[in-house]
Amino acid sequence: MKLAHALLHALSDYGAREIFGIPGDFALPFFKEIEASNILPLYTLSHEPGVGFAADAAARFHTSLGVAAVTYGAGALNMVNAVATAYAEKSPLVVISGAPGAREGAMGLGLHHQVKHLDSQRLVYNEITSAQAVLDDPTRAPAEIARVLTAARETSRPVYIELPRDMVAAEADAVPAFQPTPEVPEAAAACAAEVMARLQRAEVPALLLGVELRRYGLEAKVEELARRLAIPTANTFMARGILAGADVPLIGTYLGLAGEEGVRSVIEGSDALLMLGVILCDTNFGTSQRQIDLRNAIHAFDRDVRFAHHVYGNVSLAALVDALLDVAEPLGRGAAPEPKAPARGLVADDAPITPDDVTRAVNDLFSREGRMPIASDMGDCLFTAMDMVLTELVAPGYYATMGSGVPMGLGLQAATGRRPLILVGDGAFQMTGWELGNCRRYGWTPIVLVFNNTAWGMLKAFQADTAYNDLDDWRFADIAAGLGGRGRRVTTRAELAEALAAAVADTSTFQLIEIMLPRDALSATLRRFTSAIKQKSVLKDG
Ligand code: TPW
C-alpha cells in the first residue's frame, strides 16, 4: 500500500480519531491522501498554534493520540509552543510534518521554509518530543512509525514524524500493531507492598492525584483505590478535571497557599503523601506554606516510583495502580475536611461583574442544565475555574501558555461532539480567538466567555503601576457575527445571567459573551496565588 495509507491506518489503529492541520506545498500530497482515503476526518484551522492546541485537547479528551499535520518550516515551527505545552503536560500529540523530497534537498539551493540545514526542524523538535522519525526509506518506515507511535502512547508525550513529499505514494508494508513494552509484575507488586507498608506506618497518610492518571486511563481504578484506602484525597491544579463526577470523596484541589486552607494543611501536613502521576511544579508546590518534605512522600511519575532514598524504575502507573488494588485496605486515618461547597446564587442586579460572579453564574447554569466540559486559557479565567463545580477541564495548568483556550475548546468539541464552555481573557483571545471562524464549517457551537478587563490582568496583579499591561477595548462581541457566531457584551450581573441563558438556548452557532470586568478585578483564588508567589519569589515588589 501507499506509505501515506500505512501511516493513516497506523494512526487509527494506535488510537487517533481525527487529524487537525494546515497544509502547505510540502504537505499537499499527504493532505490529498488524508482526504481521499477517508481513514480519519480532517479539520483544518487558521494558524498552526491552534492546530497544535486543538489536537492536544483531542488527545486529552480521548485519552489517546491526537494528530497535528502541518507543512515544513513555516508550519511546523509555527506550532512549536503548542507542542511544547503537550510535552510539558504529557499529552500524546503526533506531529506529522511534510518535508522536501530527497532530490530537492540535493539541488544545492536553499529551499523555501529551510532554516539553517534541512535537518534544523527535526533538531528543534528533538527538544519537545519523546521520539522522532524521518520516513525517507519506505522499507524501514513501518517499523519507524510503530516505534514512535508506541513511544507516544507509553511516554504520553508528543512525537515527530517527518514525511518527505516524494515518499507519500511510495510502496510500503502495513505498520506492525501496538505491542506494549513488557512490565515486570514482581517489581510493581514489591513496590505496591512498600507503598502500603509506608502508608500503614504513617499517622496522617494522604493521596494526591495527578494528571497522568487521566493520560493513562486510570481514573476508574484510582477511584476504587481511593475509596478502599479511605484516606484524604485531593487533586492537583493540573489534574483539576480528572475524576469529575466520580464517587471519590475529594477534599479539593491542592494549590498551596492559593487554595483552600483545609486542603493545604492536610497535604502539607501528611507524613506519607502518595502522589500518583503528579507533575511536581511551581503552580502547585511553589506556593506551599510549608515546603513539602519529599522524603515523606512517594512519587509515581514517568514510569518511576520514588521513595525517599530509592527508586523503582520502569514501573508504569497502570501496573502500580493494579498492584495497589491487589493489596489496598482501609487505613482509616486522617480525618478528611469537608470539601468546600461551590459558590452559587448570582445576584442578578445592576452591579458591575467580578470574576467570582462569573463563577456563580456558571455554577448556577450547571445546576440548571447539567455540567459542561470546560476549556480554559491561562489568565484569571483559569483561577476562576478552580472555584467552579468540578467538571472535565482542559487547560495549560502547568506550562501556562496563553492562546490555548479557544482552539482547545474546538478540539474538545471535534473529539467528543459535546458543547464546551470556553473561558478566555481578552489578552489570550487576541492571540487565537479568530479560530472561532472555523466553527460554522464544522458545526461547532462552543459558548465562549471572554473575561474582558482590557488588560493583561494577571501581569498587572504581579506588577501594578505599569501602563504596558493595559489593553485597548476591542469589542469582541461585535466580531462574533462576522465569524459566524452570536456575540453579546455584558457589564452588569443581570445582563450576564440573561446572556448565559440565551447562549445556552441557542445551539445554532457559537456564542460569545464578552464579560466586561473592572481592570483591577481579580478572583479570590488569583489574589491568593499572586500574594503567595510574591511572598516566595523574585517577583517580590521593591
Ligand atoms: C503565550 C505571559 C501570563 S498571564 C498574561 C500574560 C501576558 C496576561 C493574560 O491576559 P488576559 O487574562 O488573557 O487578558 P487576564 O485574566 O490576566 O487579564 N505569552 C504567552 N503565554 C503567557 N503565559 C504569557 C505570554 C502572561
Side-chain angles (χ1 to χ4, degrees):
M1 73 176 90
K2 288 180 186 170
L3 176 52
H5 288 198
L7 174 57
L8 289 164
H9 281 299
L11 289 168
S12 168
D13 293 346
Y14 280 67
R17 289 292 158 262
E18 64 283 295
I19 298 176
F20 297 88
I22 297 179
D25 57 345
F26 291 119
L28 280 173
F30 180 54
F31 273 68
K32 191 169 173 211
E33 294 299 340
I34 298 174
E35 186 169 281
S37 68
N38 238 335
I39 296 167
L40 290 170
L42 170 67
Y43 302 108
T44 64
L45 296 179
S46 303
H47 194 207
E48 282 81 3
V51 169
F53 289 133
D56 176 348
R60 295 182 194 210
F61 263 82
H62 288 311
T63 309
S64 187
L65 303 182
V67 186
V70 289
T71 195
Y72 183 68
L77 294 178
N78 215 359
M79 201 166 66
V80 163
N81 179 56
V83 180
T85 305
Y87 188 92
E89 300 189 348
K90 296 218 61 171
S91 180
L93 170 62
V94 182
V95 176
I96 301 176
S97 174
R103 275 210 313 242
E104 297 171 78
M107 282 191 305
L109 299 172
L111 298 179
H112 64 287
H113 301 335
Q114 176 180 335
V115 189
K116 202 174 191 180
H117 311 291
L118 279 172
D119 213 20
S120 300
Q121 172 174 305
R122 185 185 58 78
L123 293 172
V124 168
Y125 267 86
N126 279 0
E127 268 316 285
I128 52 171
T129 55
S130 69
Q132 308 78 28
V134 178
L135 305 184
D136 53 6
D137 175 355
T139 52
R140 284 179 39 238
E144 285 290 280
I145 294 169
R147 176 177 62 79
V148 294
L149 296 186
T150 301
R153 283 183 59 147
E154 294 196 331
T155 64
S156 194
R157 305 246 194 215
V159 294
Y160 175 76
I161 296 177
E162 193 171 303
L163 179 56
R165 62 175 158 183
D166 59 352
M167 288 290 138
V168 167
E171 199 49 33
D173 290 340
V175 174
F178 175 59
Q179 287 277 355
T181 304
E183 302 271 354
V184 183
E186 309 86 75
C191 181
E194 193 170 339
V195 171
M196 274 313 292
R198 189 71 194 74
L199 295 177
Q200 269 152 351
R201 273 204 315 276
E203 274 171 37
V204 268
L207 183 55
L208 190 60
L209 307 180
V211 77
E212 274 192 343
L213 292 164
R214 166 90 188 178
R215 300 290 188 260
Y216 294 110
L218 299 171
E219 284 161 286
K221 283 185 177 170
V222 85
E223 184 182 340
E224 169 67 21
L225 180 65
R227 260 202 311 270
R228 279 223 231 135
L229 291 174
I231 53 177
T233 302
N235 56 13
T236 59
F237 191 54
M238 185 63 227
R240 167 75 183 178
I242 74 166
L243 292 182
D247 183 24
V248 177
L250 285 184
I251 58 173
T253 301
Y254 173 66
L255 266 170
L257 282 171
E260 288 158 36
E261 179 53 26
V263 181
R264 192 193 64 72
S265 64
V266 168
I267 297 300
E268 294 178 12
S270 171
D271 60 345
L273 179 64
L274 175 56
M275 298 191 279
L276 294 178
V278 170
I279 299 177
L280 285 185
C281 61
D282 56 359
T283 40
N284 298 310
F285 299 94
T287 63
S288 57
Q289 184 177 54
R290 211 178 92 188
Q291 199 66 41
I292 292 182
D293 187 348
L294 292 177
R295 282 169 308 182
N296 282 335
I298 305 158
H299 183 216
F301 188 70
D302 264 349
R303 281 179 102 95
D304 282 341
V305 186
R306 290 178 185 276
F307 290 74
H309 302 295
H310 60 285
V311 181
Y312 287 79
N314 197 25
V315 172
S316 72
L317 193 59
L320 176 64
V321 169
D322 277 342
L324 281 170
L325 279 172
D326 287 341
V327 293
E329 56 182 53
L331 296 168
R333 252 157 296 146
E338 278 297 305
K340 207 179 94 192
R344 292 199 171 83
L346 176 73
V347 182
D349 60 9
D350 289 336
I353 305 162
T354 65
D356 292 335
D357 290 325
V358 183
T359 302
R360 281 203 170 75
V362 169
N363 288 345
D364 290 350
L365 174 75
F366 287 179
S367 303
R368 266 196 334 267
E369 310 274 343
R371 295 179 224 181
M372 297 168 74
I374 295 180
S376 177
D377 215 299
M378 187 57 203
D380 197 11
C381 55
L382 182 52
F383 291 89
T384 306
M386 293 299 127
D387 292 325
M388 292 178 185
V389 171
L390 205 58
T391 187
E392 287 163 281
L393 169 73
V394 58
Y398 165 39
Y399 187 73
T401 185
M402 286 162 73
S404 54
V406 167
M408 281 193 163
L410 303 187
L412 188 173
Q413 188 158 14
T416 64
R418 294 162 66 198
R419 188 179 209 190
L421 185 67
I422 295 175
L423 312 178
V424 53
D426 56 314
F429 194 88
Q430 288 183 6
M431 292 185 176
T432 53
W434 284 109
E435 295 288 3
L436 287 174
N438 295 297
C439 286
R440 185 166 49 193
R441 286 190 297 158
Y442 297 121
W444 296 329
T445 55
I447 297 177
V448 187
L449 305 186
V450 182
F451 289 55
N452 190 355
N453 54 6
T454 57
W456 288 320
M458 240 187 108
L459 298 190
K460 270 179 93 83
F462 282 114
Q463 193 168 61
D465 311 327
T466 48
Y468 62 78
N469 287 319
D470 293 340
L471 299 174
D472 203 352
D473 178 3
W474 281 30
R475 301 200 68 96
F476 298 104
D478 295 347
I479 298 171
L483 296 178
R486 173 76 204 261
R488 298 175 181 85
R489 176 167 159 125
V490 299
T491 51
T492 68
R493 306 198 285 195
E495 288 169 356
L496 172 62
E498 208 174 296
L500 213 43
V504 170
D506 182 354
T507 55
S508 64
T509 61
F510 81 78
Q511 309 286 315
L512 187 155
I513 304 179
E514 183 182 17
I515 303 173
M516 301 310 295
L517 300 163
R519 264 203 179 131
D520 53 356
L522 297 179
S523 68
T525 305
L526 180 56
R527 269 199 305 274
R528 287 195 301 267
F529 183 77
T530 45
S531 76
I533 294 268
K534 277 188 192 172
Q535 265 176 43
K536 300 227 132 203
S537 80
V538 288
L539 288 169
K540 227 177 221 176
D541 284 332

